[in-house]
Amino acid sequence: MSFGIHVNERPFDAEPRPGQCLRTYLRERGWFGVKKGCDAGDCGACTVHVDGRPVHSCLFPALRAAGRSVTTVEGLATDGELHPVQQKFLDAQGFQCGFCTAGYLMTTAALDDEQLGDLPRAFKGNLCRCTGYRAIEDAVRGVKHVEAPCAGAAVGRNLPAPAGPQVVTGTARYTFDIDVPGLLHMKLLRSPHPHARITAIDTAAALRVPGVHLVLTHHDAPERHYSSARHEHPTEDPDDTRLLDDTVRHAGQRVAAVVADSEAAAEEACRRVEVTYEVLPAVLDPEEAMLPGAPVVHAKDAGTARISRPQNNVVGEVHGETGSVEEGFAEADVVYEETFRTQRVQHASLETHGAVAWFEETDEGAERIVVRSSTQTPFLTRRALCTLFDLPMEQVRVLAGRVGGGFGGKQEMIVEDIVVLAAMRLHRPVKLEYTRAEQFYGATTRHPFTVRVKAGARKNGTLTAIQLRVVSNTGAYGNHGPAVMFHSVGESLAVYRAPHKKADGYSVYTHAVPAGAFRGYGLGQVVFAMESVMDELARLLGMDPLAFRERNIIGPGEAMTGPGGEEEDLHIASYGLDQCLAVVRDARRESAQPAPPGWLVGEGTALSMIATGPPGGHIADARIGLRADGTYDLAVGTAEFGNGTTTVHRQIAAGELAATVDRITVRQSDTDVVKHDTGAFGSTGTVVAGKATLRASRALAAKILDFAAEHLGAAREECRLDEDAVECRRRRVLLKELYAAARTAGQELAADGHFGGTPRSVAFNAQWFRLAVDPGTGEIRVLRSVHAADAGKVMNPMQCRGQIEGGIAQALGATLFENVRLNDRGEVTTTAFRQYRLPQYADIPRTEVHFMETSDAIGPLGAKSMSESPFNPVAPAFANALRDATGIRFTELPLTRDRVWLALDRRAGTAAG
């Protein structure tokens, strides 16, 4: 009897491979709506229906589907009509990056009324990293947020994401949702040691595995050193990385790469590569790493590699003082000093790192390599690849499909380099897709920090001095290490007035999994310490912590001083921090749900300030042109990964061109479409790339009106743009007619826009919690959560609220339980979601989000950034509320239930003793 199943009512007879799961079987047949997120049945992104019942297809053997009917998200719609659940998710915009959405749709479509009444249980098998779950609940409940478009009036409205229909039908194309003929598969052999020298490596047995084409080792790698971090200025990061190295510096570092016809063959060949190691001493603690005699992680020339003190494992450091903190503490009536620690956190984007590389012929008949990657920085990645392999820019094209989450983790080049090397060697298409385990030990994490804060204040509540000592564990490589450490002490110090400030910061190498860019870029770690200390100072003075903050925060027009003095291009171009704190004050007066009897109740506040872009410039180019049918083509470099920039750019362009957003087609995240774009990071998608789009759109509007006036023989001031035409002297000429006339005249109705990312403004946020704590178990419940955001002119309230809620949810995960654990050998022991504990639907409270009434003088149309900043005040606000409830100052994250219970039990035991 032959194998046969029906997928979306289509028959398939091809038998699955031995042991093959249903997910890979379906994807190999083009059903790309079935996503790979976890490899272990933890995330639900691969959910499909088998005979009407939802299953995680990564755990379901394909052989068990024989003779059965399988429905994927592509099969939910019938007769061209969306399934009601698909329409609800579209109406509520119940997604951001959308990688998890197919799984949620398939789960929701199978729920009965009883299950719909208990969504925390119903969604126990589904994870979302982007939304914070509120938008998903609204979608399930049928709440509509999306507004209908109208001409011109686009900015400030809840207009939908252009890719929404593709997301809910499973036709949006992420990195690996393509069929590349002749594709080969890569797998990586990784080091079992935290520090070792490779003395011999034998690939002969691996090459004998049937289907293996290539084994790459350090003998095949370029000698050039570089950084995996991507910044506009490469000199911001140390050149300490080699594509494949004969010295390994963390457990999990890649040692060899195997390319084969199948992943199974490549994995088998990896097992047969014989490596002889000379195991070397390792250091995992950054304080120990700075001591004399500690094992040196990178014995390189400090000048050429741009490492501050290699012999002491200090990759970067900052030391600065304004005034004299010694004098400031002498003037203080109260002084508080404490040390705080934050842990490693994984970005946990549901789409793992990966890339595909192949060769294509250009229009000129030349050949170039194309890299399709899950990246936030296609242009910077192309530049890095060209430098590494000595290739001219025109021979490399880098593009991103829709990216399934980033959060800073994809501001790196950690897969593209090895994939391109293999593709160039074989002249064949090559694919590398990380497993979920590889994300934990082969990608990057958030930097663990140790922060010592000392602060003093007078009796009247004014600060006299703030002193910071920051030690950041950058792990085995310095990608982002110095920049994160520099940034961490900047705005966290500048947001408070104090005549005397001092900071000493160290970014330190250890033999641990590398850290990298992560939402907040170091600010969250230091803000946790700073805001905790501000609360304690207020308590020492007998002041309301909110009033203490109001007395000491920076005001509009004031200079922002950090450890290095003022940053010349950073300005308070709009000010809403006072409004943020007023929102908190109002929230405190209102009642919240009662706590269970016997539980302890407390409330806490924290604030933060963040620059609306990185220092040193962040470049964006945009180009927009009129098309033959009278619609517009907008090309931008920035990537879409749930940040919503595509929607905002369409809104900006539509507003300037008096069009509806559906008349703006966006091409993006492809080095072929515009001159340059630094990338979608540092909260720049709206304030930098958006400003380039604004300038291009304004220039095109002027160009169209100029041409129309000349074409019609009218004065320029008599002409105005309409949705699909230009009106002059009561005459109306369609845009498509103007296009044809311009083409006949040899003119192109198109324009470019550029912005260099400077000057920069600042955004403000404040978070407030009311919590209840069970003293008998350590369980914590959020009774109320309020967030105030100063985002300037809010371009799309629905999307901006989603970004804030997602940031809060991610921050709550880091506050409560997320922790990348290492054993004493430096091996990551949390290699699956079920070990790592991502926030689930049941874990995240609904947060009341408030937008402040401000308009920024620098940002496009008054907008400011709001993708990173909501993360930063969450942990300290939570810790301050916990302190208020329990009387205990918790100084280390995460605030796990057992840690809280132990502290309460210890205090009770001490009191009894």
Side-chain angles (χ1 to χ4, degrees):
M1 181 178 173
S2 64
F3 176 85
I5 63 173
H6 279 75
V7 181
N8 300 327
E9 301 182 351
R10 288 175 53 189
F12 289 87
D13 294 322
E15 289 200 15
R17 297 186 300 276
Q20 186 175 24
C21 70
L22 183 57
R23 174 177 59 79
T24 58
Y25 183 89
L26 293 170
R27 286 187 60 82
E28 286 172 4
R29 279 144 191 85
W31 303 110
F32 293 127
V34 185
K35 296 292 186 256
K36 168 192 168 181
C38 68
D39 309 310
D42 294 332
C43 75
C46 67
T47 302
V48 300
H49 294 174
V50 177
D51 289 341
R53 295 184 59 188
V55 302
H56 288 183
S57 61
C58 68
L59 297 181
F60 195 92
L63 195 61
R64 284 185 55 196
R68 305 173 81 171
S69 175
V70 175
T71 305
T72 73
V73 68
E74 293 97 331
L76 273 185
T78 55
D79 300 325
E81 294 290 328
L82 291 180
H83 187 282
V85 169
Q86 290 173 311
Q87 188 62 54
K88 287 180 178 181
F89 269 74
L90 203 56
D91 290 342
Q93 196 150 307
F95 56 86
Q96 285 182 29
C97 85
F99 199 80
C100 70
T101 303
Y104 271 100
L105 289 165
M106 300 308 292
T107 298
T108 305
L111 297 178
D112 58 29
D113 289 343
E114 182 180 352
Q115 291 167 322
L116 285 168
D118 189 0
L119 290 182
R121 179 179 292 275
F123 287 148
K124 194 172 182 180
N126 292 80
L127 293 173
C128 175
R129 190 55 157 169
C130 294
T131 65
Y133 296 107
R134 187 274 313 162
I136 292 172
E137 180 184 359
D138 283 358
V140 175
R141 302 298 186 207
V143 179
K144 185 172 182 177
H145 296 296
V146 168
E147 298 179 46
C150 61
V155 169
R157 302 182 62 222
N158 295 332
L159 299 183
Q166 290 74 42
V167 168
V168 301
T169 56
T171 55
R173 290 294 175 250
Y174 296 81
T175 306
F176 298 112
D177 297 343
I178 55 172
D179 183 16
V180 181
L183 184 65
L184 300 176
H185 301 267
M186 176 183 286
K187 284 293 181 180
L188 300 175
L189 175 67
R190 296 182 179 275
S191 169
H193 306 292
H195 193 199
R197 186 175 296 110
I198 298 172
T199 58
I201 187 163
D202 188 345
T203 63
L207 287 166
R208 288 195 293 269
V209 173
V212 170
H213 293 261
L214 179 68
V215 180
L216 296 168
T217 71
H218 62 271
H219 297 297
D220 305 290
E223 292 291 337
R224 181 179 281 116
H225 285 78
Y226 57 96
S227 173
S228 67
R230 302 271 56 85
H231 284 111
E232 181 59 41
H233 305 291
T235 53
E236 290 184 25
D237 308 295
D239 286 340
D240 57 9
T241 302
R242 191 177 167 211
L243 193 149
L244 288 168
D245 207 331
D246 58 356
T247 299
V248 293
R249 296 177 174 86
H250 71 95
Q253 180 170 327
R254 62 192 188 195
V255 170
V258 176
V259 183
D261 289 331
S262 67
E263 289 188 0
E267 287 172 351
E268 177 59 27
C270 281
R271 288 188 282 269
R272 297 194 189 187
V273 176
E274 298 177 10
V275 186
T276 304
Y277 295 98
E278 176 193 349
V279 179
L280 302 171
V283 61
L284 298 174
D285 182 88
E287 295 284 2
E288 293 177 8
M290 289 191 286
L291 296 175
V296 175
V297 181
H298 289 277
K300 291 180 171 60
D301 178 80
T304 58
R306 296 187 300 280
I307 299 172
S308 179
R309 286 184 283 133
Q311 72 279 9
N312 299 116
N313 293 315
V314 177
V315 60
E317 55 192 315
V318 61
H319 305 283
E321 185 171 14
T322 58
S324 167
V325 291
E326 186 177 349
E327 293 179 13
F329 291 127
E331 296 168 4
D333 294 307
V334 294
V335 175
Y336 184 82
E337 186 172 10
E338 186 56 89
T339 299
F340 299 82
R341 292 177 174 84
T342 64
Q343 79 284 27
R344 287 179 184 84
V345 177
Q346 232 293 317
H347 305 80
S349 52
L350 288 191
E351 182 187 43
T352 60
H353 281 79
V356 186
W358 68 89
F359 286 87
E360 73 174 10
E361 189 173 293
T362 66
D363 294 339
E364 294 75 27
E367 191 176 59
R368 65 174 175 176
I369 193 162
V370 179
V371 184
R372 182 181 173 94
S373 171
S374 184
T375 179
Q376 297 173 225
T377 58
F379 289 81
L380 300 188
T381 298
R382 177 181 66 167
R383 186 172 67 188
L385 290 170
C386 290
T387 301
L388 179 60
F389 296 112
D390 294 316
L391 296 170
M393 287 285 194
E394 62 270 18
Q395 286 187 18
V396 180
R397 176 190 178 195
V398 177
L399 68 151
R402 190 172 178 88
V403 177
F407 318 113
K410 294 173 182 175
Q411 193 190 338
E412 306 273 353
M413 183 179 72
I414 57 177
V415 291
E416 298 89 345
D417 50 0
I418 191 77
V419 171
V420 167
L421 177 61
M424 290 171 64
R425 286 294 182 90
L426 294 168
H427 211 268
R428 291 273 304 273
V430 176
K431 167 190 172 182
L432 171 61
E433 182 177 12
Y434 270 18
T435 64
R436 180 54 57 186
E438 285 180 300
Q439 285 292 113
F440 282 101
Y441 54 68
T444 61
T445 72
R446 187 188 191 206
H447 286 77
F449 267 56
T450 300
V451 184
R452 185 79 180 170
V453 184
K454 184 178 181 181
R458 295 186 178 90
K459 289 179 182 177
N460 65 2
T462 57
L463 287 165
T464 60
I466 307 173
Q467 183 172 358
L468 290 176
R469 182 182 184 272
V470 175
V471 177
S472 166
N473 185 346
T474 197
Y477 292 90
N479 46 304
H480 297 283
V484 164
M485 186 268 299
F486 294 153
H487 188 238
S488 73
V489 300
E491 291 97 278
S492 56
L493 269 178
V495 72
Y496 284 107
R497 281 192 236 99
H500 310 286
K501 296 178 181 178
K502 183 179 181 181
D504 294 286
Y506 306 87
S507 178
V508 184
Y509 285 126
T510 61
H511 291 104
V513 59
F518 189 100
R519 200 173 202 162
Y521 213 65
L523 270 181
Q525 294 94 313
V526 176
V527 168
F528 168 61
M530 283 280 290
E531 289 297 291
S532 297
V533 167
M534 293 301 147
D535 248 43
E536 292 298 331
L537 274 178
R539 290 177 184 278
L540 286 173
L541 292 165
M543 286 186 67
D544 172 14
L546 186 58
F548 180 76
R549 286 177 171 82
E550 289 172 329
R551 182 163 297 186
N552 289 288
I553 54 172
I554 193 170
E558 293 186 30
M560 291 177 284
T561 57
E566 295 182 52
E567 292 188 61
E568 291 184 1
D569 77 328
L570 192 60
H571 309 280
I572 301 177
S574 61
Y575 185 80
L577 184 53
D578 53 348
Q579 295 180 49
C580 290
L581 295 183
V583 166
V584 170
R585 186 170 292 284
D586 290 342
R588 296 197 315 177
R589 298 192 189 104
E590 299 169 7
S591 60
Q593 68 180 83
W599 286 42
L600 309 172
V601 178
E603 61 181 51
T605 303
L607 60 85
S608 65
M609 177 176 76
I610 191 170
T612 58
H618 190 105
I619 295 169
D621 287 291
R623 181 171 178 80
I624 187 166
L626 184 64
R627 295 164 54 164
D629 62 355
T631 63
Y632 299 95
D633 176 78
L634 172 62
V636 293
T638 188
E640 176 63 62
F641 53 100
N643 46 3
T645 55
T646 314
T647 313
V648 168
H649 290 180
R650 286 213 311 178
Q651 289 180 260
I652 291 171
E656 295 301 311
L657 294 163
T660 54
V661 289
D662 54 4
R663 298 183 67 83
I664 314 287
T665 300
V666 182
R667 292 181 296 125
Q668 63 194 132
S669 53
D670 184 340
T671 56
D672 268 10
V673 301
V674 293
K675 296 174 185 176
H676 184 74
D677 188 283
T678 299
F681 65 88
S683 302
T684 55
T686 294
V687 297
V688 178
K691 196 152 187 173
T693 293
L694 176 66
R695 289 175 172 176
S697 302
R698 281 184 175 170
L700 177 60
K703 200 168 186 177
I704 290 172
L705 290 172
D706 286 343
F707 180 80
E710 181 183 350
H711 179 67
L712 296 171
R716 167 72 159 72
E717 59 271 17
E718 295 177 309
C719 299
R720 70 174 189 87
L721 265 170
D722 197 355
E723 179 180 355
D724 61 350
V726 172
E727 291 188 0
C728 291
R729 291 182 181 173
R730 299 182 182 178
R731 292 176 60 189
R732 195 166 186 273
V733 57
L734 294 176
L735 291 175
K736 59 185 180 182
E737 296 172 9
L738 283 176
Y739 174 90
R743 183 162 182 153
T744 300
Q747 295 186 40
E748 183 184 15
L749 295 179
D752 296 299
H754 173 88
F755 184 52
T758 184
R760 301 174 295 148
S761 186
V762 289
F764 300 98
N765 296 75
Q767 173 70 42
W768 176 80
F769 286 110
R770 181 173 285 143
L771 306 177
V773 184
D774 182 358
T777 64
E779 180 185 347
I780 306 171
R781 292 185 191 173
V782 177
L783 301 179
R784 194 169 176 213
S785 172
V786 175
H787 191 97
D790 173 20
K793 172 64 176 177
V794 180
M795 311 296 269
N796 187 310
M798 173 182 65
Q799 281 196 167
C800 194
R801 180 185 175 194
Q803 283 288 292
I804 292 168
E805 291 168 334
I808 293 169
Q810 196 170 43
L812 278 171
T815 301
L816 291 171
F817 31 72
E818 291 187 49
N819 190 4
V820 178
R821 299 188 191 92
L822 274 60
N823 62 20
D824 57 5
R825 287 176 41 80
E827 298 167 320
V828 175
T829 60
T830 46
T831 57
F833 283 153
R834 64 187 60 187
Q835 299 163 324
Y836 179 66
R837 181 75 165 87
L838 273 186
Q840 295 177 300
Y841 179 97
D843 295 316
I844 303 301
R846 286 177 78 98
T847 293
E848 303 163 34
V849 175
H850 300 263
F851 294 117
M852 304 306 99
E853 294 291 334
T854 63
S855 181
D856 200 68
I858 294 174
L861 304 175
K864 296 198 282 193
S865 62
M866 199 45 59
S867 58
E868 292 187 272
S869 56
F871 186 103
N872 297 326
V874 171
F878 200 98
N880 289 338
L882 192 57
R883 163 69 165 89
D884 190 46
T886 64
I888 300 171
R889 170 55 63 189
F890 290 87
T891 60
E892 185 172 353
L893 296 179
L895 301 172
T896 56
R897 179 172 171 172
D898 57 343
R899 180 170 283 166
V900 172
W901 179 84
L902 283 169
L904 288 167
D905 187 64
R906 191 178 303 117
R907 186 182 63 179
T910 301

